[in-house]
Amino acid sequence: MPIPKISAVGACVPPGILSNKDLEGMVETSDQWIVERTGIRQRHIAEKGVASSDLATEAVKELIAKSEIKATDIDLIIVATITPDMQLPATACLVQNNVGATKAWGFDMSIACSGFLYALQVGAQFVRTGAHQNVVVIGVDVMSSIIDYTDRQTCIIFGDGGGAALIQPCAAGEEFGVIDFVHEVDGSGGVSLCLPAGGSRNPTTHETIDKRMHYVHQDGPAVFKFATRKMAEMCTRVLERNGLTGKDVDLFIPHQANLRIITSAMERLGMTMDRVVVNIDEYGNTTAGTIPLAMHSALEKGMLKKGDLVLLASMGAGFSAGATLLRWAY
Ligand code: UT7
């Protein structure tokens, strides 16, 4: 069975920037507090009318330009997002049409911050079985469309953006690509990070809007506690069962939710700062977008080379968590 590998990455963030200084004028906060407690200095925010499919389309166009495939070679498009353009059709259909992927099918996945990793594994299975040769996996979110900019606990964290990865089979004898993964959900944590209205439980009404139930509600400390414990735990599990430790990892690409969550995981895994990708200062937490955006940053900075052992990790709403181990293929 062919090993699925990532063979190209594209990304897109909107040009608009919301700085910590800007937020000081919107809620009771300070640049110093945000930097110290989260590591975030700014986030990119989409203009009114710009949706997840727009960012995803740009990311896929870049990916195609950087690969040897044409849009018409794409077999499958999976979009991980909690901010689809609309409830239906699926954002994957909009992207398929925008890029001219006339032979592709596709669908969306909703598992918040773990979205990209879960979509990566789903896409990888289609390649591993030989069913598909070119799978495009996208993680993207326009979080500004569901954030309450009067809630200082959530609005300081999130930003807009995303990225896309092309998954292809390794050639015979090629030893790169996905090695292993661990995924886990714990639905008992659902209430700690949720968007209460707009679904079948609480369809949108004037009342749900008056109660601001159409925005993300977060119990920050509860999510923080889960994330710090789980990031290290999931990484250790996937490393140990492959006879590896944190010291063997060439590059750690974690979900960017809070710099303190990342540094805590690194300390527990015995990793040093030069082997982790951090771009939270520039982009904030783009939910499903963080890992492909971080991969893109790593490639731009020359931090990734063929054969590197790469560890990806995510955790967030659900609660959901995951870690993927792979050997970089280009
Ligand atoms: O992508 C996955 C989803 N999300 C996450 O992973 C987020 C995880 N959680 C976090 O990153 C952190 O919990 C936050 C950044 C959201 C909050 O930081 P914290 O250190 O956990 O703060 P806290 O909620 O425990 O609040 C500490 C203090 C409180 O004041 P008092 O009660 O001690 O006087 C808060 O009212 O900080 C206050 N505070 C703020 N102060 C200035 C909370 N938010 C802010 C703010 N600016 N934006």
Side-chain angles (χ1 to χ4, degrees):
M1 283 202 286
I3 303 171
K5 64 176 181 184
I6 293 176
S7 50
V9 174
C12 182
V13 289
I17 284 174
L18 181 67
S19 68
N20 290 351
K21 270 269 170 269
D22 296 330
L23 283 166
E24 284 181 359
M26 296 160 71
V27 287
E28 204 183 324
T29 192
S30 67
D31 173 53
Q32 189 189 353
W33 191 95
I34 300 171
V35 173
E36 280 176 11
R37 305 303 293 169
T38 70
I40 302 168
R41 294 183 184 276
Q42 62 170 44
R43 58 296 286 139
H44 288 248
I45 300 292
E47 269 179 42
K48 199 170 182 297
V50 172
S52 289
S53 73
D54 299 317
L55 302 183
T57 298
E58 291 312 309
V60 175
K61 284 184 180 166
E62 185 192 344
L63 174 154
I64 291 169
K66 287 186 167 163
S67 73
E68 285 166 7
I69 64 157
K70 303 185 293 296
T72 48
D73 295 324
I74 300 172
D75 300 304
L76 167 62
I77 298 172
I78 307 175
V79 180
T81 186
I82 54 164
T83 52
D85 292 31
M86 294 168 264
Q87 282 298 319
L88 65 139
T91 310
C93 303
L94 305 173
V95 176
Q96 178 268 344
N97 186 49
N98 289 348
V99 301
T102 48
K103 298 200 183 94
W105 65 292
F107 56 90
D108 289 4
M109 279 180 62
S110 171
I111 188 75
C113 303
S114 298
F116 180 79
L117 280 201
Y118 287 17
L120 176 67
Q121 287 305 334
V122 172
Q125 305 314 314
F126 284 96
V127 171
R128 204 179 281 280
T129 58
H132 290 321
Q133 304 293 306
N134 298 299
V135 175
V136 171
V137 174
I138 300 164
V140 64
D141 272 301
V142 176
M143 291 304 292
S144 60
S145 64
I146 55 170
I147 290 300
D148 184 350
Y149 286 95
T150 66
D151 174 3
R152 69 177 181 172
Q153 221 208 53
T154 56
C155 73
I156 55 138
I157 298 177
F158 293 100
D160 302 339
L166 175 64
I167 312 175
Q168 294 182 310
C170 279
E174 220 188 338
E175 290 292 319
F176 302 109
V178 177
I179 298 167
D180 198 5
F181 72 94
V182 288
H183 288 170
E184 198 178 280
V185 297
D186 173 7
S188 69
V191 291
S192 299
L193 185 49
C194 61
L195 196 156
S200 54
R201 176 75 59 200
N202 296 298
T204 309
T205 61
H206 287 292
E207 191 192 356
T208 63
I209 290 173
D210 290 343
K211 290 183 175 166
R212 308 183 87 74
M213 290 165 69
H214 56 302
Y215 291 125
V216 170
H217 289 229
Q218 173 176 264
D219 176 348
V223 182
F224 186 87
K225 218 166 131 193
F226 169 82
T228 33
R229 179 169 57 86
K230 270 294 159 190
M231 190 174 272
E233 190 185 308
M234 301 298 278
C235 291
T236 304
R237 205 184 305 163
V238 77
L239 286 168
E240 274 182 6
R241 75 181 192 196
N242 287 278
L244 300 162
T245 72
K247 294 194 169 40
D248 297 306
V249 174
D250 294 303
L251 197 64
F252 180 39
I253 308 184
H255 172 53
Q256 314 276 313
N258 186 320
L259 185 58
R260 289 186 293 139
I261 296 174
I262 297 172
T263 48
S264 154
M266 285 168 52
E267 279 163 21
R268 290 186 208 195
L269 293 164
M271 288 180 191
T272 48
M273 209 61 192
D274 55 318
R275 289 189 292 136
V276 63
V277 184
V278 175
N279 63 7
I280 192 170
D281 51 331
E282 206 179 329
Y283 301 122
N285 178 353
T286 55
T287 303
T290 60
I291 292 184
L293 259 181
M295 268 181 198
H296 192 265
S297 296
L299 285 164
E300 291 214 313
K301 289 179 190 157
M303 294 171 81
L304 267 172
K305 59 180 189 310
K306 192 170 179 171
D308 277 353
L309 184 69
V310 178
L311 179 64
L312 315 174
S314 67
M315 45 279 316
F319 291 137
S320 64
T324 288
L325 196 58
L326 52 88
R327 227 168 249 292
W328 198 253
Y330 68 100

PDB file of all heavy atoms in Angstrom, residues 77-81 84 86 89-93 106-110:
ATOM      1  N   ILE A  77     -11.420  16.974  -2.354  1.00  0.00           N
ATOM      2  CA  ILE A  77     -11.127  18.190  -1.571  1.00  0.00           C
ATOM      3  C   ILE A  77     -11.841  18.063  -0.226  1.00  0.00           C
ATOM      4  O   ILE A  77     -13.065  17.892  -0.182  1.00  0.00           O
ATOM      5  CB  ILE A  77     -11.642  19.460  -2.298  1.00  0.00           C
ATOM      6  CG1 ILE A  77     -10.939  19.629  -3.652  1.00  0.00           C
ATOM      7  CG2 ILE A  77     -11.445  20.700  -1.421  1.00  0.00           C
ATOM      8  CD1 ILE A  77     -11.541  20.746  -4.522  1.00  0.00           C
ATOM      9  N   ILE A  78     -11.067  18.129   0.853  1.00  0.00           N
ATOM     10  CA  ILE A  78     -11.677  18.091   2.191  1.00  0.00           C
ATOM     11  C   ILE A  78     -11.401  19.433   2.868  1.00  0.00           C
ATOM     12  O   ILE A  78     -10.236  19.845   2.965  1.00  0.00           O
ATOM     13  CB  ILE A  78     -11.089  16.952   3.062  1.00  0.00           C
ATOM     14  CG1 ILE A  78     -11.171  15.604   2.317  1.00  0.00           C
ATOM     15  CG2 ILE A  78     -11.833  16.861   4.389  1.00  0.00           C
ATOM     16  CD1 ILE A  78     -10.495  14.447   3.065  1.00  0.00           C
ATOM     17  N   VAL A  79     -12.448  20.097   3.305  1.00  0.00           N
ATOM     18  CA  VAL A  79     -12.277  21.388   3.960  1.00  0.00           C
ATOM     19  C   VAL A  79     -12.639  21.257   5.438  1.00  0.00           C
ATOM     20  O   VAL A  79     -13.792  20.984   5.782  1.00  0.00           O
ATOM     21  CB  VAL A  79     -13.159  22.486   3.322  1.00  0.00           C
ATOM     22  CG1 VAL A  79     -12.938  23.818   4.040  1.00  0.00           C
ATOM     23  CG2 VAL A  79     -12.844  22.640   1.834  1.00  0.00           C
ATOM     24  N   ALA A  80     -11.656  21.454   6.300  1.00  0.00           N
ATOM     25  CA  ALA A  80     -11.910  21.497   7.735  1.00  0.00           C
ATOM     26  C   ALA A  80     -12.175  22.946   8.105  1.00  0.00           C
ATOM     27  O   ALA A  80     -11.319  23.811   7.894  1.00  0.00           O
ATOM     28  CB  ALA A  80     -10.699  20.968   8.495  1.00  0.00           C
ATOM     29  N   THR A  81     -13.357  23.199   8.624  1.00  0.00           N
ATOM     30  CA  THR A  81     -13.708  24.576   9.009  1.00  0.00           C
ATOM     31  C   THR A  81     -14.897  24.565   9.961  1.00  0.00           C
ATOM     32  O   THR A  81     -15.733  23.655   9.889  1.00  0.00           O
ATOM     33  CB  THR A  81     -14.035  25.424   7.755  1.00  0.00           C
ATOM     34  OG1 THR A  81     -14.235  26.794   8.151  1.00  0.00           O
ATOM     35  CG2 THR A  81     -15.279  24.940   7.017  1.00  0.00           C
ATOM     36  N   PRO A  84     -17.958  27.742   7.734  1.00  0.00           N
ATOM     37  CA  PRO A  84     -18.260  27.583   6.313  1.00  0.00           C
ATOM     38  C   PRO A  84     -18.915  28.861   5.788  1.00  0.00           C
ATOM     39  O   PRO A  84     -19.497  29.625   6.572  1.00  0.00           O
ATOM     40  CB  PRO A  84     -19.246  26.409   6.293  1.00  0.00           C
ATOM     41  CG  PRO A  84     -19.854  26.389   7.659  1.00  0.00           C
ATOM     42  CD  PRO A  84     -18.791  26.880   8.597  1.00  0.00           C
ATOM     43  N   MET A  86     -21.568  29.106   4.220  1.00  0.00           N
ATOM     44  CA  MET A  86     -22.989  28.932   4.538  1.00  0.00           C
ATOM     45  C   MET A  86     -23.138  27.539   5.135  1.00  0.00           C
ATOM     46  O   MET A  86     -22.241  26.718   4.999  1.00  0.00           O
ATOM     47  CB  MET A  86     -23.832  28.989   3.244  1.00  0.00           C
ATOM     48  CG  MET A  86     -23.829  30.330   2.571  1.00  0.00           C
ATOM     49  SD  MET A  86     -24.543  30.204   0.912  1.00  0.00           S
ATOM     50  CE  MET A  86     -23.076  30.036  -0.083  1.00  0.00           C
ATOM     51  N   PRO A  89     -24.344  25.155   0.493  1.00  0.00           N
ATOM     52  CA  PRO A  89     -23.575  23.946   0.232  1.00  0.00           C
ATOM     53  C   PRO A  89     -22.271  23.916   1.022  1.00  0.00           C
ATOM     54  O   PRO A  89     -21.858  24.921   1.599  1.00  0.00           O
ATOM     55  CB  PRO A  89     -23.286  24.067  -1.272  1.00  0.00           C
ATOM     56  CG  PRO A  89     -23.196  25.543  -1.505  1.00  0.00           C
ATOM     57  CD  PRO A  89     -24.254  26.130  -0.622  1.00  0.00           C
ATOM     58  N   ALA A  90     -21.643  22.743   1.010  1.00  0.00           N
ATOM     59  CA  ALA A  90     -20.347  22.592   1.681  1.00  0.00           C
ATOM     60  C   ALA A  90     -19.321  23.520   1.029  1.00  0.00           C
ATOM     61  O   ALA A  90     -19.344  23.740  -0.185  1.00  0.00           O
ATOM     62  CB  ALA A  90     -19.869  21.142   1.578  1.00  0.00           C
ATOM     63  N   THR A  91     -18.423  24.056   1.850  1.00  0.00           N
ATOM     64  CA  THR A  91     -17.368  24.943   1.355  1.00  0.00           C
ATOM     65  C   THR A  91     -16.497  24.230   0.319  1.00  0.00           C
ATOM     66  O   THR A  91     -16.001  24.850  -0.627  1.00  0.00           O
ATOM     67  CB  THR A  91     -16.508  25.419   2.547  1.00  0.00           C
ATOM     68  OG1 THR A  91     -17.402  25.911   3.554  1.00  0.00           O
ATOM     69  CG2 THR A  91     -15.552  26.521   2.160  1.00  0.00           C
ATOM     70  N   ALA A  92     -16.344  22.919   0.479  1.00  0.00           N
ATOM     71  CA  ALA A  92     -15.538  22.137  -0.480  1.00  0.00           C
ATOM     72  C   ALA A  92     -16.093  22.279  -1.897  1.00  0.00           C
ATOM     73  O   ALA A  92     -15.332  22.323  -2.871  1.00  0.00           O
ATOM     74  CB  ALA A  92     -15.507  20.667  -0.067  1.00  0.00           C
ATOM     75  N   CYS A  93     -17.412  22.354  -2.019  1.00  0.00           N
ATOM     76  CA  CYS A  93     -18.030  22.487  -3.347  1.00  0.00           C
ATOM     77  C   CYS A  93     -17.698  23.857  -3.947  1.00  0.00           C
ATOM     78  O   CYS A  93     -17.443  23.975  -5.154  1.00  0.00           O
ATOM     79  CB  CYS A  93     -19.548  22.324  -3.251  1.00  0.00           C
ATOM     80  SG  CYS A  93     -20.032  20.751  -2.528  1.00  0.00           S
ATOM     81  N   GLY A 106     -15.931  16.171  -2.848  1.00  0.00           N
ATOM     82  CA  GLY A 106     -15.426  16.782  -1.623  1.00  0.00           C
ATOM     83  C   GLY A 106     -16.485  16.936  -0.562  1.00  0.00           C
ATOM     84  O   GLY A 106     -17.662  16.695  -0.796  1.00  0.00           O
ATOM     85  N   PHE A 107     -16.021  17.347   0.597  1.00  0.00           N
ATOM     86  CA  PHE A 107     -16.931  17.553   1.723  1.00  0.00           C
ATOM     87  C   PHE A 107     -16.231  18.385   2.793  1.00  0.00           C
ATOM     88  O   PHE A 107     -15.014  18.562   2.745  1.00  0.00           O
ATOM     89  CB  PHE A 107     -17.408  16.215   2.305  1.00  0.00           C
ATOM     90  CG  PHE A 107     -16.288  15.294   2.734  1.00  0.00           C
ATOM     91  CD1 PHE A 107     -15.766  15.332   4.021  1.00  0.00           C
ATOM     92  CD2 PHE A 107     -15.740  14.386   1.828  1.00  0.00           C
ATOM     93  CE1 PHE A 107     -14.739  14.485   4.410  1.00  0.00           C
ATOM     94  CE2 PHE A 107     -14.700  13.531   2.215  1.00  0.00           C
ATOM     95  CZ  PHE A 107     -14.208  13.580   3.502  1.00  0.00           C
ATOM     96  N   ASP A 108     -17.020  18.876   3.757  1.00  0.00           N
ATOM     97  CA  ASP A 108     -16.463  19.652   4.871  1.00  0.00           C
ATOM     98  C   ASP A 108     -16.369  18.779   6.117  1.00  0.00           C
ATOM     99  O   ASP A 108     -17.115  17.807   6.263  1.00  0.00           O
ATOM    100  CB  ASP A 108     -17.361  20.855   5.202  1.00  0.00           C
ATOM    101  CG  ASP A 108     -17.304  21.930   4.122  1.00  0.00           C
ATOM    102  OD1 ASP A 108     -16.632  21.724   3.096  1.00  0.00           O
ATOM    103  OD2 ASP A 108     -17.951  22.976   4.334  1.00  0.00           O
ATOM    104  N   MET A 109     -15.475  19.162   7.018  1.00  0.00           N
ATOM    105  CA  MET A 109     -15.362  18.506   8.319  1.00  0.00           C
ATOM    106  C   MET A 109     -15.400  19.569   9.394  1.00  0.00           C
ATOM    107  O   MET A 109     -14.734  20.585   9.280  1.00  0.00           O
ATOM    108  CB  MET A 109     -14.014  17.790   8.430  1.00  0.00           C
ATOM    109  CG  MET A 109     -13.993  16.443   7.764  1.00  0.00           C
ATOM    110  SD  MET A 109     -12.371  15.681   7.950  1.00  0.00           S
ATOM    111  CE  MET A 109     -12.271  15.533   9.724  1.00  0.00           C
ATOM    112  N   SER A 110     -16.179  19.311  10.446  1.00  0.00           N
ATOM    113  CA  SER A 110     -16.296  20.291  11.520  1.00  0.00           C
ATOM    114  C   SER A 110     -15.793  19.698  12.829  1.00  0.00           C
ATOM    115  O   SER A 110     -16.517  18.953  13.489  1.00  0.00           O
ATOM    116  CB  SER A 110     -17.773  20.703  11.663  1.00  0.00           C
ATOM    117  OG  SER A 110     -17.922  21.491  12.811  1.00  0.00           O
TER     118      SER A 110
END
